[in-house]
Amino acid sequence: MDLTRFSQCVEREFALFEERFRECLPCFEGTMGQMSEYVLRQKGKRLRPLISFLTAKACGEVNGATYRAAVVLELLHTASLVHDDVLDESNLRRNAPTVNNIWGNRAAILFGDYIYGRCLQLIETKEDFELLSIYSKVARELPQGELLQKDLSEAQNHDINSYFAVIDRKTASMFGAAAYIGAKTACQDARYVEAAEQFGRLIGRAFQIRDDILDFDTSCTSGKGFGNDIKEKKITLPVIFWIDTLEQKEKEELLAFIAKDNKSQQEIVSLIERLKATDCLNKAEQQVGKYSSLAKEQLKQLPDNEYRKQLEDLTDCLVERDL
């Protein structure tokens, strides 16, 4: 997924964001400094600040409050990933060792807690305090989503509404917050702010479903490997669609396999090939199209300018990606 042309539209803003983000993590000696430097080197695609800056410029102008909000949200995201890797006992993220893999679970949890604390220090002005509600919403929904996903996995719940309840609290919540803070810090028009948040949450749904589909790419063109959700006993949308087509005995056998520990690579490939023989991936792709279209409808409520067009194109890029 090449986001270069989008980030170039806000190149100056991105440069200042990276500078301010780096300032928020300690560079002193010791374990904390080592972990900070490592996390800064492992930065991802920065989708959240990209959405924030494009939304802000679509609704008005990027300002100091926008930068602080974008940094706070990225810090919240970073801390949640550090904690998630501990909970999931993950050893790799983006093909690199996780913080907990290198420094241990205790240090990783403390580091994540430290990052949450840094978020509070960035709230300086009246405008910053007005964003507390969206920060607290994200901070509340992320662990709720994780715990709900754990409960559903253990109960082998394959209800589609439960699936959306999880991704709405995780991916959609973050994307919605990113668009919200962009609009909120750039303008005072409540219609724009509401439309922006709805856009973010909808594109978050589409993005996550697409991510779930890519987990069945055995050719590994995604660069992320495949079958990770099955290994982690997660029931995602393509599997939900598949389960709904099965007879009771087949359904029980599939759920028993998903719940199984230590699945072999051959077993996972075999299951994926069986799923691919159905139309369940196509049905999931239709959901991606549905939510990306709904997201674009929300964008039509924003001012008609080049940055709104960039958000429309970014929507297409995110849902058509192969990694």
Side-chain angles (χ1 to χ4, degrees), residues 108-124:
I109 291 171
L110 291 172
F111 181 57
D113 290 345
Y114 173 83
I115 297 175
Y116 282 129
R118 289 292 288 135
C119 293
L120 297 176
Q121 289 185 288
L122 293 176
I123 300 173
E124 302 172 353

Side-chain angles (χ1 to χ4, degrees), residues 84-95:
D84 285 353
D85 287 338
V86 173
L87 294 171
D88 296 339
E89 300 180 347
S90 300
N91 293 319
L92 293 174
R93 178 171 290 279
R94 302 189 193 97
N95 295 319

Side-chain angles (χ1 to χ4, degrees), residues 163-264:
Y163 166 80
F164 280 116
V166 170
I167 68 172
D168 282 350
R169 285 167 173 78
K170 296 176 67 177
T171 313
S173 179
M174 270 290 183
F175 278 52
Y180 175 94
I181 64 176
K184 182 70 174 176
T185 58
C187 74
Q188 296 299 314
D189 194 320
R191 295 170 303 169
Y192 293 164
V193 176
E194 182 179 354
E197 183 178 14
Q198 288 303 312
F199 158 75
R201 294 188 76 90
L202 288 163
I203 194 57
R205 273 194 172 193
F207 182 91
Q208 185 58 58
I209 297 169
R210 182 71 180 135
D211 205 57
D212 294 344
I213 292 169
L214 289 174
D215 197 55
F216 295 96
D217 177 16
T218 51
S219 66
C220 293
T221 58
S222 68
K224 297 170 64 176
F226 64 89
N228 293 314
D229 291 331
I230 298 296
K231 290 175 187 175
E232 295 171 11
K233 306 178 184 179
K234 295 177 183 176
I235 301 175
T236 57
L237 193 59
V239 176
I240 290 172
F241 286 145
W242 189 19
I243 288 172
D244 288 344
T245 69
L246 299 176
E247 297 294 335
Q248 186 61 32
K249 183 179 179 181
E250 293 176 308
K251 186 183 299 186
E252 291 173 357
E253 289 174 349
L254 174 58
L255 290 172
F257 175 76
I258 292 173
K260 175 183 171 182
D261 293 321
N262 303 318
K263 307 174 188 73
S264 72

